[in-house]
Amino acid sequence: MFRSDFIKKLEYLSLVSRRVFRGELLAERKTHQSGWGIEFADHREYFPGDDLRHLDWNVFARLGHRFIKRFEEKQDAAVSIFLDASQSMQPDSGGKGTNGLSKFDYAKQIAAALAYIALAQLDRVSIISFAGKIEEVLPPVRGKQQIVNVLRFLEHCRPVPGETDFAGTFRSFVRRRPRSGLAVIVSDFFDRRLVQTGIPSVLDTLTFRRFELNIIQILGETEAEPDFRGDYRFIDAETGEDRNITVTENRLRRYKEKMSGFQDSLKNYCRKNGFIYTLSRTSVPFEDLVLKMMRQTGGLR
Amino acid sequence: MEFLNPSGFWFVLLTVPVLLFYLLRPRRREKTLPAVLFWDGIAGEQQTRMFWQRFRYPLSLLLSLLFLLFLTGAFSDPVLPLQKRNAAAVVIVDNSASMNVKDGSGRSRLDEAKSKLRQFFDSQYRRSPTAVITASGEPLIAAGFTDSPALLKEAVQKIPATDNPSSLGAAVETAELLLAQNDSGDSPIFVFTDGCSEDISRLITSKRLVFFPVGKPANNTALTRFHPRRSLSSAAGYEVLAEVSNFGTLPVECRLRIVFEETLVELVPLTLPPGTAETVCVSGETSAGGVLWATLEFPDTSPPDALEADNTAYAVLPPRPPLKILFYGEDNFLLQKVLESQQNALFSTISTLPETVPPDSVLVLHRIMPPVLPEGNILIVSPQTDCRFFRTGLPLATPPAVSFADFMKKESPLLRYVHLDDIPLPGARKLSFPETGDAGLPEILLATAEEDPLYLLWHRRNGKMLVFNTEIGTGTLEFRTAFPIMLSNAMNFFRNPGGDWEPVYKTGEAVVLPVDSVHREIRLCSPDGTEQILPVENGTVLPGGFSRCGIWEAFAVRPAPGTSGFIRQFACGLMNPAESQLAAVPAEFYTRSEPLEYALTGLPLHFWLTLAALCLTAADWHLFHRRWLD
């Protein structure tokens, strides 16, 4: 899926999380917890029952007082990658980019790259494929060697029929009581409820569970810059609804205004809550997105 | 409206495919989108409930149908009534006095009418033979029937401005006569006028007349009467009657200035409410004669006066040479003193009777009377001998008493201002008249109760003869008071029998001018300097009428060496209320709009229809492109 030099570059990246999560296993992510680690933090007075291995014998020899050495503990973080597998991500609906990738293929590559970065950081990575509901789930995996499972899972993912339902997906996800952490959502966000009821009412389901969001919105070329004019019967890829529209310049302009307004509302939500928002088109080379755009937006470091 | 190519209406069948084009809809291309939610709210196709709602782009359809309609009209070659080629047509141009009213830019109504006429001739698409008639004074044919616009325009350009009253009615009759002679009795008559005419109320109801209104109602004050006459009380006096009328809708303050030969006679301030007139009488004296003229002067605060021609009026006062009184007979102090005191008279006593009394003289015989009376004017006072007109008898026994009621011709100018009632006239003799001979019977002006004549008048072939049958100087005080008055009446009677002078001629009126028969032709000069040579027949000249206000002068065509050949002057004025009533034009005259054809500027109707169709095409093209933008 990836070239070797690209993989090497990925190993130097890490997913940015502005919050510090409490992990379970030692890993590469700093925590506020003191414990077993390499980096010295400070001393504290010895209390009976403390592990004598951490007693600072040098201090005890010089001063006669017993102090315990404390170290910074690095733990792993839970990274949940939500992959939109609705019909709107299908190859024939949004148009393909210049690299010949559909939105779904593009989204899978992003998910794979982010999963690799997280695994390289010894974080726990799970991938949730969803449309109207959660379709498939890759349970949390850890360690770089698990990338094979991740890729196999992504290879196995296919767009499924049904209307995108972020709210239902997130509700069923949180009912599973997952570990809070970083939630990466890779989608076009074409959800009627999201547009109609507002973004906070949907995404707050995750934020209330102390998830930090990293939103990656992917648009096809024909969605961002429609290049057709004339009489059309538009058919919704997810619902099958149709609209008879005579596409004129003015109507195109109004369409773009609505689309831009939706993107702005998504961006504003993220900025307000300190989340990462990255907008990309399928025409943007995937490597540029990961190595440049996501670093610029602060999603990767 | 007529259509010269009715088969052009078949083009209307093209409406069917046009309707079909707008009814049929092309199959829409289907396109699957990730989501259509962002297209919601952006105008889509509306649901059609009615049949007509199934048509696409109704505005374009309307334009296309109009395009077809205009194109069909253009192919059928429509012709408006006035564009139809008639056998003949007549244009009447009003060049009366009111057409000299100028608008704010200094252009007269006649100039405006000429401008409209030029445009009118250009607007004639299918030109008919057209004649031009002027409608002031006597209608004149300015141009005979011709279809050449150049000739018609040239003829119109030469139409002069006049001060004549409008003669629209006569001009229309002339036009109808001309058209009837050309077998085009139903052809229209085009009238370019300002509507200031006595006939306008009758003419605007005629459907045959096509009016082109010129000018607008305006305020005007005019001298509507100016009439001089000889003073009845003074031999050298004159009286003039002037009437000033305000025909406007605003009150006017002005001054009437009356001038006689550069000398101010009277300056009368006038205040005239709207629609009123004021009369002014002024008197003066002159025996030399001259030009008397009156003019209206308006202060700056007064409403503007539209017409100038009626603000001035002229009169020519004839010269009155002194009457030569030749006294012959016994002296009488009273009689001679009364004769000497006569105004504008030269008294002289003669000892030898002339054979003929000159025309500007009167012979006064007192008591002595030759057997054969000379030719001319004679006054005989207290006759004592016979003549061939009467025989004198014995003195009347008793002083005759005059009964004013029964025996006095009080209507005679010879007895004006005199009341001789029961006043004795001593010294009268009984007079008898021969029944044979050519002397004729006298007109008895005064007689006694027994019908004995006291004051008699003979109208002779070469003069008049008055006989006063009483003694002068022996009567009562009443008689001696009345006698000078009677003698003054007698002298005025010998000068001229009446008090009226030659009238002030009105413009446009047919006049007969008295001119001395020694002239075969005269040169008549108008106030604006134009001249015309007219023949003299039987002591009269027939100029047809004066067309300009002011003083006209007659000159001999071949004057004697060293002289100007001046003969005499004639005064002429407008004095026509119909021309001066610039604000009294019926409102419906202005509401009759000018015909549509006039606005087409000479181009055929199918040209304008085609042009309109092209404009619609451009509009449809614009809509077509706008559809892809909107």
Side-chain angles (χ1 to χ4, degrees):
Chain A
M1 181 176 278
F2 305 129
R3 295 194 312 273
S4 58
D5 58 337
F6 178 67
I7 291 174
K8 279 185 181 175
K9 291 177 183 174
L10 290 182
E11 287 184 357
Y12 290 104
L13 298 175
S14 63
L15 282 169
V16 171
S17 169
R18 290 188 171 81
R19 264 190 282 164
V20 176
F21 301 101
R22 183 183 181 82
E24 290 179 349
L25 297 173
L26 289 177
E28 293 294 327
R29 200 172 291 276
K30 282 185 180 180
T31 65
H32 293 308
Q33 205 159 356
S34 299
W36 301 103
I38 297 173
E39 298 285 334
F40 172 76
D42 63 352
H43 290 90
R44 73 167 170 83
E45 199 173 349
Y46 171 77
F47 289 101
D50 286 340
D51 193 347
L52 289 176
R53 288 180 294 179
H54 296 141
L55 188 70
D56 193 339
W57 296 106
N58 291 328
V59 172
F60 181 69
R62 281 201 304 269
L63 303 176
H65 292 286
R66 292 182 292 271
F67 288 98
I68 293 293
K69 288 200 283 187
R70 293 172 61 87
F71 298 91
E72 284 185 351
E73 189 171 358
K74 291 189 176 179
Q75 294 181 345
D76 61 347
V79 177
S80 303
I81 300 174
F82 290 87
L83 177 64
D84 186 355
S86 65
Q87 289 292 321
S88 65
M89 302 288 283
Q90 266 197 343
D92 58 347
S93 59
K96 293 182 178 180
T98 52
N99 49 13
L101 293 175
S102 69
K103 283 198 295 184
F104 189 67
D105 294 338
Y106 199 77
K108 282 200 296 185
Q109 285 195 355
I110 293 172
L114 297 182
Y116 184 82
I117 293 169
L119 289 174
Q121 294 284 314
L122 299 178
D123 289 333
R124 287 170 173 265
V125 175
S126 67
I127 300 176
I128 303 100
S129 165
F130 71 98
K133 59 183 175 53
I134 294 175
E135 298 293 339
E136 291 181 68
V137 176
L138 175 69
V141 292
R142 190 165 182 270
K144 254 198 298 192
Q145 69 277 10
Q146 293 294 329
I147 190 66
V148 178
N149 290 332
V150 170
L151 295 178
R152 191 176 295 129
F153 175 80
L154 291 174
E155 193 79 19
H156 180 68
C157 280
R158 293 281 184 277
V160 294
E163 195 176 353
T164 307
D165 183 5
F166 279 98
T169 300
F170 293 156
R171 274 198 303 273
S172 61
F173 175 71
V174 297
R175 272 198 294 269
R176 298 183 184 191
R177 298 185 178 276
R179 238 180 79 188
S180 62
L182 187 65
V184 180
I185 306 170
V186 185
S187 170
D188 55 10
F189 287 89
F190 289 167
D191 180 1
R192 186 174 296 278
R193 297 175 193 87
L194 193 69
V195 174
Q196 291 175 350
T197 61
I199 294 165
S201 63
V202 175
L203 297 184
D204 283 352
T205 308
L206 291 178
T207 57
F208 288 167
R209 292 289 180 150
R210 300 181 57 77
F211 275 94
E212 183 176 341
L213 302 185
N214 188 340
I215 290 173
I216 302 169
Q217 187 180 18
I218 301 169
L219 296 178
E221 283 306 300
T222 53
E223 298 154 13
E225 294 288 341
D227 57 352
F228 38 83
R229 308 283 189 280
D231 296 329
Y232 277 93
R233 180 169 173 261
F234 292 143
I235 300 170
D236 193 298
E238 295 182 359
T239 63
E241 291 177 4
D242 61 345
R243 299 281 188 279
N244 290 331
I245 303 282
T246 300
V247 182
T248 63
E249 289 294 338
N250 276 349
R251 288 174 185 173
L252 271 182
R253 181 173 48 78
R254 290 166 61 190
Y255 165 81
K256 288 177 184 174
E257 286 173 0
K258 288 185 77 172
M259 177 67 82
S260 176
F262 175 65
Q263 291 165 4
D264 288 344
S265 60
L266 204 56
K267 191 175 179 179
N268 291 335
Y269 173 78
C270 292
R271 186 168 56 204
K272 185 178 175 184
N273 293 282
F275 299 151
I276 307 298
Y277 171 77
T278 306
L279 171 66
S280 178
R281 296 184 191 174
T282 53
S283 60
V284 177
F286 166 72
E287 293 177 3
D288 287 351
L289 169 68
V290 175
L291 298 177
K292 294 180 182 175
M293 290 178 66
M294 288 192 70
R295 290 180 77 175
Q296 287 173 359
T297 56
L300 289 175
R301 184 168 51 198
Chain B
M1 184 183 291
E2 289 184 9
F3 295 93
L4 300 183
N5 181 28
S7 59
F9 282 114
W10 287 106
F11 269 83
V12 82
L13 292 178
L14 286 174
T15 309
V16 176
V18 168
L19 288 175
L20 284 177
F21 284 142
Y22 280 87
L23 191 61
L24 297 176
R25 293 161 186 268
R27 188 181 185 82
R28 286 182 179 274
R29 285 169 287 181
E30 287 190 356
K31 189 171 186 61
T32 302
L33 294 181
V36 296
L37 58 99
F38 293 107
W39 289 100
D40 289 344
I42 297 173
E45 190 177 71
Q46 292 181 343
Q47 294 294 320
T48 56
R49 295 185 177 85
M50 308 297 289
F51 173 76
W52 58 269
Q53 287 180 326
R54 298 184 62 190
F55 289 110
R56 309 167 71 213
Y57 316 124
L59 189 56
S60 280
L61 174 61
L62 180 66
L63 291 179
S64 298
L65 291 178
L66 283 175
F67 170 79
L68 262 182
L69 184 69
F70 287 164
L71 210 59
T72 304
F75 273 112
S76 57
D77 199 2
V79 177
L80 291 167
L82 297 188
Q83 286 186 327
K84 192 172 63 175
R85 183 179 170 85
N86 297 299
V90 171
V91 170
I92 295 175
V93 186
D94 184 0
N95 61 337
S96 61
S98 61
M99 294 291 280
N100 296 326
V101 172
K102 293 179 179 175
D103 58 15
S105 63
R107 192 173 71 151
S108 70
R109 292 180 176 182
L110 183 61
D111 293 336
E112 184 185 350
K114 287 180 179 179
S115 173
K116 283 190 171 187
L117 268 165
R118 285 191 290 274
Q119 196 176 343
F120 170 77
F121 290 136
D122 288 335
S123 72
Q124 294 297 295
Y125 164 47
R126 294 177 173 82
R127 294 190 173 90
S128 309
T130 305
V132 180
I133 297 176
T134 60
S136 69
E138 283 293 314
L140 296 175
I141 298 175
F145 284 108
T146 176
D147 57 1
S148 166
L151 290 177
L152 290 169
K153 286 181 190 174
E154 186 182 352
V156 165
Q157 198 58 35
K158 288 181 179 175
I159 292 176
T162 70
D163 291 331
N164 288 335
S166 175
S167 57
L168 277 183
V172 170
E173 288 175 8
T174 307
E176 288 173 343
L177 195 63
L178 279 175
L179 291 173
Q181 289 172 350
N182 284 272
D183 298 329
S184 45
D186 59 343
S187 295
I189 299 172
F190 308 101
V191 185
F192 292 77
T193 179
D194 60 354
C196 295
S197 171
E198 293 173 346
D199 305 317
I200 193 66
S201 300
R202 174 175 57 86
L203 294 177
I204 55 175
T205 59
S206 170
K207 292 183 178 178
R208 189 180 185 186
L209 301 181
V210 181
F211 282 96
F212 289 78
V214 177
K216 292 176 180 175
N219 291 314
N220 188 39
T221 305
L223 266 163
T224 46
R225 287 175 74 186
F226 193 66
H227 183 70
R229 70 170 191 177
R230 186 194 307 273
S231 172
L232 299 178
S233 59
S234 170
Y238 63 86
E239 294 171 341
V240 62
L241 172 75
E243 183 186 70
V244 181
S245 303
N246 178 10
F247 295 109
T249 55
L250 299 170
V252 170
E253 288 186 359
C254 61
R255 291 188 303 182
L256 177 66
R257 178 187 289 271
I258 299 177
V259 178
F260 176 75
E261 292 289 338
E262 310 296 333
T263 304
L264 179 65
V265 176
E266 191 71 69
L267 190 62
V268 185
L270 298 171
T271 301
L272 298 168
T276 60
E278 194 160 327
T279 305
V280 175
C281 288
V282 175
S283 60
E285 287 195 353
T286 176
S287 59
V291 176
L292 180 73
W293 56 280
T295 184
L296 291 175
E297 295 175 345
F298 299 95
D300 294 337
T301 55
S302 180
D305 189 73
L307 186 58
E308 288 184 6
D310 57 8
N311 291 343
T312 309
Y314 298 88
V316 177
L317 305 184
R320 283 176 288 178
L323 182 67
K324 294 173 183 169
I325 302 173
L326 307 176
F327 183 79
Y328 180 83
E330 295 178 10
D331 290 341
N332 183 285
F333 182 78
L334 177 61
L335 176 61
Q336 287 173 291
K337 286 299 175 187
V338 170
L339 289 174
E340 283 177 9
S341 64
Q342 290 299 308
Q343 280 186 325
N344 200 25
L346 297 174
F347 177 79
S348 62
T349 303
I350 57 174
S351 56
T352 307
L353 281 173
E355 291 185 0
T356 304
V357 180
D360 57 348
S361 305
V362 60
L363 177 63
V364 181
L365 302 174
H366 181 231
R367 296 182 68 90
I368 300 172
M369 195 172 59
V372 178
L373 294 174
E375 298 285 329
N377 295 325
I378 298 175
L379 170 63
I380 302 173
V381 180
S382 183
Q384 302 296 320
T385 57
D386 297 343
C387 67
R388 70 184 182 96
F389 291 91
F390 58 88
R391 292 191 191 91
T392 52
L394 294 172
L396 297 176
T398 56
V402 176
S403 171
F404 177 78
D406 298 331
F407 302 103
M408 180 175 169
K409 280 201 169 181
K410 52 185 177 293
E411 72 277 8
S412 171
L414 290 161
L415 296 174
R416 185 175 291 147
Y417 312 126
V418 175
H419 287 257
L420 298 173
D421 201 1
D422 290 334
I423 296 174
L425 298 180
R429 288 176 175 272
K430 191 166 184 67
L431 298 179
S432 60
F433 310 103
E435 295 181 357
T436 59
D438 59 348
L441 293 176
E443 179 184 352
I444 299 174
L445 305 171
L446 200 62
T448 63
E450 289 78 21
E451 298 185 7
D452 288 320
L454 298 174
Y455 199 12
L456 306 94
L457 169 64
W458 275 269
H459 289 280
R460 302 196 300 168
R461 189 168 49 195
N462 292 319
K464 290 166 277 193
M465 186 174 77
L466 280 174
V467 175
F468 199 44
N469 183 21
T470 184
E471 284 289 342
I472 305 301
T474 57
T476 61
L477 179 61
E478 291 86 348
F479 174 69
R480 280 180 288 174
T481 303
F483 175 71
I485 300 172
M486 293 173 67
L487 204 57
S488 181
N489 288 340
M491 293 301 112
N492 287 336
F493 178 72
F494 285 121
R495 284 190 180 96
N496 196 320
D500 291 335
W501 281 334
E502 192 173 12
V504 177
Y505 297 103
K506 291 184 179 179
T507 54
E509 275 186 351
V511 295
V512 179
L513 303 179
V515 177
D516 196 341
S517 298
V518 298
H519 304 286
R520 289 186 177 179
E521 289 179 324
I522 64 162
R523 182 163 52 90
L524 192 61
C525 298
S526 72
D528 57 8
T530 58
E531 297 182 353
Q532 53 182 325
I533 305 296
L534 298 169
V536 179
E537 293 179 356
N538 299 325
T540 57
V541 171
L542 302 174
F546 294 122
S547 61
R548 279 296 191 183
C549 297
I551 299 296
W552 291 65
E553 294 179 321
F555 293 90
V557 175
R558 282 174 288 278
T563 63
S564 64
F566 173 77
I567 299 174
R568 58 179 302 183
Q569 292 175 312
F570 305 97
C572 181
L574 178 61
M575 290 178 282
N576 189 314
E579 286 298 310
S580 299
Q581 283 180 342
L582 301 177
V585 180
E588 54 265 36
F589 170 73
Y590 295 105
T591 56
R592 287 186 63 158
S593 61
E594 291 164 351
L596 171 65
E597 296 85 333
Y598 184 67
L600 297 181
T601 65
L603 294 168
L605 198 56
H606 64 71
F607 168 81
W608 295 109
L609 288 171
T610 308
L611 189 65
L614 286 176
C615 291
L616 290 176
T617 307
D620 199 19
W621 179 83
H622 173 72
L623 286 178
F624 174 77
H625 281 270
R626 189 182 172 83
R627 271 201 291 277
W628 301 114
L629 292 175
D630 187 9

